Amino acid sequence: MKEKEILIEVEDLKKYYPLKGGIVTHTTGHVKAVDGVSFAIYEGETLGLVGESGCGKSTIGKQLVGLETPTGGIISYKGNPSRTEKQMIFQDSYSSLNPRKHIYEILSQPMLYHGLADKGNIRAEMERILDMVGLTKSALGRYPHEFSGGQRQRICIAKALSLKPKFVVCDEPVSALDVSIQAQILNLLRQLQKELHLTCLFIGHGLGAVNYVSARIAVMYLGKIVEIADAGELFRNPIHPYTQALCNAAPIPDPNRPERGAALLQGEVASAINPPAGCRFHPRCPHATDICRQKEPQLSTVAAGSSHMAACPVVVARDGLAEERNGING
C-alpha cells in the first residue's frame, strides 16, 4: 500500500491581532485567534476543521492560502507552490464576487493573467469549468446578483478551480444556504475532490456537514486543536469533552438513538484576549480538575499505535487508554 504523502504541514502556528487604545494610540493587548496549532494534511485528502464561531478556524484557512501572515510558526507546502496552487472558497458567495463584473470577466481575467488560458481558448475553458460545477454557458453574460445563493456558490467554486489549484480551503461554503441546496453543494465538492484529486481543508460549525466530506476531522476550541482523528473514529469514540458535546448537539433523524449520557455545554466561550490558564476549556468542562486549571494539555495519542489524538489527559487516564475502544485489539 502506498504511503500517504504530506502536502501541507503546520507547526506551532500562531496569529495574534493587536488591540489599539489610549490617547496616544498604542498596542494594549492581543487577540490570540490561533495560538500554537500543529497538524498535517495528506495529499488528496479532505481534512475537516470544526469549532464554534471565533475559535480561529477561518484564520487558519486564510494563513494556509497566504491571505494573512502568521505571527509565528511554520507552514510547509510540498514543492514551494505558485500563487495559483492554493485557492479559497468563502462563506459569503455574494461579497466574494465583484458585483460590477459579469461572470465572463470574473472567470477569465485571473486565467489570462496567470497564463492558464489564452484569448483563443478562454471561452471554451470557462464553459468546461462551468459544466463541472453544474452551470450552463449562458451564465457567462450575467452578473452575480442575477443568480440564487446556490448558483453563486457554484460560480465561486468555478472561480477557485479555474486556476487549477492543488489545495483548496472551503470556508463554511454551505452555512449561508438552504438545507436542500447545502446537500447539492456538498455532493458537488465531494465529486470534484475525487475527480480532480484535490487536497482540501473544509471548515464548518457542525460535525454533520464536515463529516460528510472529510476523511479526518480536527476539533478546535479557542485557538487550539483539542482533538483530531479519522472522521468515523471521531464520531464513534469522541475523547475530548468538547468533542463529546459537539457530537451530542448534532441532530440525528432517529428517535430511538441511544443517549451518549453527556450534557450539552453550559456557559460561554472565554475571551481570546485573555484566555484561561491551563486547559482553555476547563471553565465549561464537567471533568475539570485542579491540574486542568494549572497546566495546558498537549495533543497526544489516546492509545498506543492509534492516530487518534486528544488534548485531555484526564479523560484518557480515566478510561485507561481504552485500546479496545480505539480498535487496537480488533
Side-chain angles (χ1 to χ4, degrees):
M1 183 176 179
K2 184 180 178 181
E3 186 177 352
K4 294 186 291 185
E5 295 185 1
I6 294 176
L7 182 71
I8 291 182
E9 189 167 14
V10 174
E11 299 178 42
D12 198 27
L13 187 66
K14 297 177 181 178
K15 182 62 179 180
Y16 297 170
Y17 296 101
L19 294 173
K20 302 293 184 180
I23 298 175
V24 178
T25 303
H26 64 284
T27 300
T28 58
H30 291 87
V31 176
K32 298 178 180 179
V34 179
D35 196 13
V37 165
S38 299
F39 62 90
I41 306 177
Y42 295 102
E43 193 167 354
E45 82 160 348
T46 296
L47 174 69
L49 185 60
V50 66
E52 293 173 286
S53 294
C55 71
K57 308 184 302 295
S58 296
T59 302
I60 288 179
K62 291 174 183 177
Q63 291 178 96
L64 292 186
V65 299
L67 292 178
E68 291 189 354
T69 302
T71 303
I74 300 172
I75 300 174
S76 302
Y77 186 104
K78 177 184 174 182
N80 298 318
S82 66
R83 290 174 58 193
T84 63
E85 288 186 12
K86 300 189 291 184
Q87 296 297 316
M88 193 164 185
I89 301 168
F90 296 92
Q91 175 182 358
D92 187 349
S93 59
Y94 190 76
S95 64
S96 61
L97 298 172
N98 190 330
R100 297 179 179 272
K101 294 184 177 181
H102 46 64
I103 307 307
Y104 183 96
E105 292 179 279
I106 290 173
L107 294 182
S108 65
Q109 289 180 350
M111 296 171 69
L112 291 171
Y113 178 82
H114 289 286
L116 298 175
D118 55 45
K119 292 183 178 180
N121 68 356
I122 185 68
R123 188 173 187 91
E125 186 67 12
M126 287 189 295
E127 290 177 2
R128 181 186 69 82
I129 295 169
L130 286 176
D131 182 64
M132 288 174 59
V133 300
L135 294 174
T136 65
K137 61 182 180 181
S138 63
L140 291 173
R142 297 161 63 187
Y143 288 86
H145 73 270
E146 299 180 71
F147 296 91
S148 67
Q151 289 173 324
R152 280 197 299 270
Q153 197 58 284
R154 290 174 186 268
I155 293 169
C156 290
I157 296 170
K159 180 183 175 184
L161 296 180
S162 68
L163 295 179
K164 301 180 180 178
K166 292 183 179 179
F167 174 65
V168 177
V169 172
C170 305
D171 186 12
E172 301 185 42
V174 299
S175 62
L177 304 176
D178 293 338
V179 173
S180 60
I181 307 301
Q182 287 183 16
Q184 295 176 21
I185 299 299
L186 289 173
N187 284 328
L188 174 62
L189 290 171
R190 282 186 62 176
Q191 175 188 337
L192 292 171
Q193 190 273 336
K194 184 177 180 179
E195 291 179 355
L196 302 177
H197 196 62
L198 295 171
T199 303
C200 301
L201 177 70
F202 188 95
I203 298 169
H205 284 294
L207 281 169
V210 174
N211 177 56
Y212 185 68
V213 299
S214 304
R216 293 186 301 133
I217 297 176
V219 180
M220 196 167 180
Y221 185 82
L222 200 60
K224 297 276 190 180
I225 289 179
V226 298
E227 189 163 358
I228 184 166
D230 291 343
E233 166 68 10
L234 192 81
F235 266 82
R236 289 191 304 269
N237 183 28
I239 297 296
H240 197 280
Y242 178 62
T243 310
Q244 293 173 2
L246 289 180
C247 289
N248 274 277
I252 298 176
D254 181 5
N256 298 316
R257 68 168 181 166
E259 293 294 333
R260 292 184 183 269
L264 297 180
L265 286 181
Q266 303 295 321
E268 299 294 331
V269 182
S271 170
I273 301 172
N274 186 26
C279 175
R280 297 188 176 189
F281 186 64
H282 84 254
R284 306 173 72 188
C285 181
H287 309 294
T289 65
D290 288 341
I291 195 168
C292 299
R293 301 177 182 92
Q294 299 166 9
K295 185 176 180 181
E296 183 176 305
Q298 302 299 315
L299 274 176
S300 57
T301 55
V302 301
S306 173
S307 61
H308 190 162
M309 303 182 73
C312 186
V314 172
V315 174
V316 172
R318 185 196 65 191
D319 294 342
L321 291 177
E323 293 188 357
E324 289 188 0
R325 290 174 60 195
N326 291 281
I328 302 302
N329 294 332

